[in-house]
Amino acid sequence: MSTPRLLAIETSCDETAAAVVDSSLHVHSSVISSQIDLHAAFGGVVPEVAGRAHVELLESVVAEALEVAGGTMTDPGIEAVAVTCGPGLVGSLLVGLSGAKAMAMAWGVPFIGVNHLEGHLFTAQLDTVPVGFPHLTLLVSGGHTMFIAVEAPGRYRLLGETIDDAAGEAYDKVARYLGLGYPGGPAIDALAATGDPKAVAFPRALRGDNLDVSFSGLKTSVIRYVEKHPEVSVADLAASFQEAVVDVLATKAARAAEEIGAVAIVLGGGVAANSALRARLAAVADEAGIECRLPSMAMCTDNAAMIGAAGWHRLHADGPSRLDLPANPSLPLDLLERTS
Ligand code: KG4
Ligand code: ZN
């Protein structure tokens, strides 16, 4: 008998995505239709435009994901439908959620609502062996920067987070200021490879005892520096800014991992694609003699395979969701109480 499969759908922001994932977290298909070109002219995601694009794209993206995995819309070969129900843009979430409910009903299979953030926590576990516990997950995206102790499957303890801008948000804002376009993370990452990370010694915020971080001061420092030194090389600026971000994240990740006796450091979220962060975290884990789990590049930014992985976990832990489950644009990650 083959391993059971589910169809997963992700439409929380500007990616329309569908995937077929089995209960061993093997990815049979992962289709991502990015709307970046639609939004780039506006310098960011326009919610109204995103919602309409999801409506236009969802059916063909789902059909392609099923087809690549050997199924069809009438004979999907899946045993459940998982979908992101929050956090995200409400109009975008509703498109995926309504579609997923309709498909689950039509196919007579369970429906599972998934937290987008929990999806990111699972990306480094796709197509590989399970990771041990406890582990430290660094979740770094456009909206979140969190140091999370994962004590057991689904048991998340928040150790620290950003007190202002998320890491990805800082990349996007600095890139916009430097005229590098949207999204800013990949642009700064590429430019930084040609610059000197030691050219400008930007401040490392919050190097105190706790595990919180701050990035809004760093963004202001970049702006002040350019005002005073308009002739500075943009590549050197990008490299120095990136060095400051990565240094703070890696220092705190190392401390967090040590504090909880982690057997591994796991990375997730859009900023997990950052080349400097990946290299530094691997070095930090190596030094601590623990495993480092980096998601594949394709799984860093929003995708449905990660929603499928979290969907299997939720189905086993909680059972199916009710068909009247609402979209929740500010759905928080379900955390154990904070300890530090
Ligand atoms: O997880 P994600 O796709 O969307 C959210 O759920 O927020 O993350 C998007 C964020 C954006 O801020 C983008 O600039 C950043 O991830 N990002 C990067 C890189 N690739 C994407 N940041 C730094 N370096 C990268 N290579
Ligand atoms: Zn995301």
Side-chain angles (χ1 to χ4, degrees):
M1 218 180 73
S2 64
T3 317
R5 300 173 175 195
L6 61 65
L7 169 72
I9 294 173
E10 153 65 36
T11 63
S12 68
C13 191
D14 60 344
E15 251 97 38
T16 314
V20 173
V21 180
D22 72 27
S23 58
S24 306
L25 308 194
H26 173 57
V27 182
H28 293 267
S29 64
S30 176
V31 179
I32 305 172
S33 177
S34 171
Q35 305 173 9
I36 282 184
D37 295 347
L38 282 180
H39 301 283
F42 302 98
V45 178
V46 184
E48 179 73 16
V49 174
R52 283 170 195 273
H54 287 307
V55 171
E56 278 167 23
L57 294 165
L58 185 63
E59 198 181 327
S60 60
V61 167
V62 166
E64 190 182 337
L66 291 175
E67 202 175 303
V68 173
T72 63
M73 281 305 245
T74 46
D75 184 13
I78 52 103
E79 297 184 19
V81 179
V83 63
T84 307
C85 59
L89 302 169
V90 70
S92 294
L93 288 166
L94 280 169
V95 177
L97 198 57
S98 316
K101 287 175 182 176
M103 288 176 223
M105 266 197 291
W107 296 329
V109 297
F111 152 82
I112 314 146
V114 173
N115 184 313
H116 179 85
L117 300 174
E118 189 165 35
H120 277 303
L121 299 186
F122 275 89
T123 44
Q125 301 195 50
L126 291 163
D127 278 326
T128 180
V129 291
V131 66
F133 300 100
H135 58 257
L136 185 271
T137 297
L138 172 54
L139 173 59
V140 270
S141 70
H144 295 82
T145 301
M146 298 165 104
F147 298 89
I148 299 168
V150 185
E151 299 179 348
R155 287 182 65 81
Y156 308 122
R157 192 178 298 282
L158 181 65
L159 303 168
E161 62 186 329
T162 179
I163 59 166
D164 41 53
D165 291 350
E169 193 180 353
Y171 267 94
D172 292 337
K173 285 179 175 172
V174 167
R176 184 179 308 183
Y177 176 72
L178 297 176
L180 300 176
Y182 162 86
I188 291 189
D189 196 0
L191 195 59
T194 65
D196 175 8
K198 295 199 167 49
V200 188
F202 287 122
R204 290 4 182 198
L206 299 183
R207 301 213 80 170
D209 276 349
N210 74 22
L211 293 168
D212 288 335
V213 294
S214 160
F215 292 116
S216 87
L218 174 59
K219 175 195 65 198
T220 311
S221 300
V222 173
I223 295 171
R224 295 274 170 281
Y225 192 88
V226 176
E227 283 168 359
K228 277 198 196 147
H229 308 88
E231 75 298 342
V232 64
S233 132
V234 184
D236 283 352
L237 264 185
S240 302
F241 161 78
Q242 177 155 290
E243 175 70 12
V245 173
V246 168
D247 193 22
V248 168
L249 291 175
T251 303
K252 299 249 165 165
R255 193 181 303 165
E258 191 185 349
E259 236 172 61
I260 63 165
V263 299
I265 296 179
V266 178
L267 187 59
V271 185
N274 187 265
S275 56
L277 182 60
R278 294 170 77 89
R280 189 75 66 86
L281 279 187
V284 154
D286 196 41
E287 208 168 297
I290 60 178
E291 194 188 349
C292 183
R293 278 291 178 99
L294 303 172
S296 71
M297 293 299 275
M299 292 299 154
C300 289
T301 39
D302 290 346
N303 65 82
M306 68 183 196
I307 302 304
W312 276 119
H313 167 68
R314 283 291 146 209
L315 184 63
H316 292 142
D318 309 332
S321 304
R322 288 168 50 119
L323 278 169
D324 61 357
L325 182 78
N328 183 346
S330 50
L331 184 67
L333 189 64
D334 194 6
L335 295 164
L336 304 169
E337 80 284 3
R338 186 169 173 164
T339 48
S340 61

